[in-house]
Amino acid sequence: MPLSWTISHPQRLVIAVARDEVAPHEFGAYIEAMQPVGRYRKMFVVSGMSTVFDTALMQSVGRAVRDHAAREAIGPIAIVADNETAYASAMVY
């Protein structure tokens, strides 16, 4: 699965990993799945992702998260990127 995640309720931690080609709708599924664990810490590893999303899509995903944060508290988010492309996308987000 290109985008997968594990939720640890005892640690209040979500670890998501993106591998190879990730479709935009998969990010929507991830955001929806995070609704009940919004206050948990989240680590998003994009090191294995080969997809490069355009700026508009990354900004849209970022806006969705900010909109959610305006309604209720969310936990800290860390993005792990190991190359310039992934880092640039993380910075746009």
Side-chain angles (χ1 to χ4, degrees), residues 10-93:
Q11 294 181 336
R12 298 179 54 84
L13 173 66
V14 176
I15 297 177
V17 178
R19 289 189 180 93
D20 302 320
E21 291 290 320
V22 178
H25 73 274
E26 292 179 86
F27 281 104
Y30 168 78
I31 291 170
E32 187 174 318
M34 295 303 106
Q35 298 298 320
V37 294
R39 293 181 181 205
Y40 287 18
R41 297 168 291 141
K42 293 164 202 71
M43 180 182 297
F44 204 100
V45 181
V46 296
S47 299
M49 187 172 78
S50 60
T51 306
V52 177
F53 293 111
D54 66 11
T55 300
L57 177 63
M58 292 309 298
Q59 289 173 335
S60 174
V61 172
R63 269 192 304 279
V65 173
R66 282 192 305 278
D67 289 348
H68 179 75
R71 292 187 304 276
E72 63 182 81
I74 63 170
I77 300 170
I79 301 173
V80 179
D82 68 345
N83 61 60
E84 286 298 317
T85 304
Y87 178 78
S89 291
M91 293 305 293
V92 169
Y93 166 81

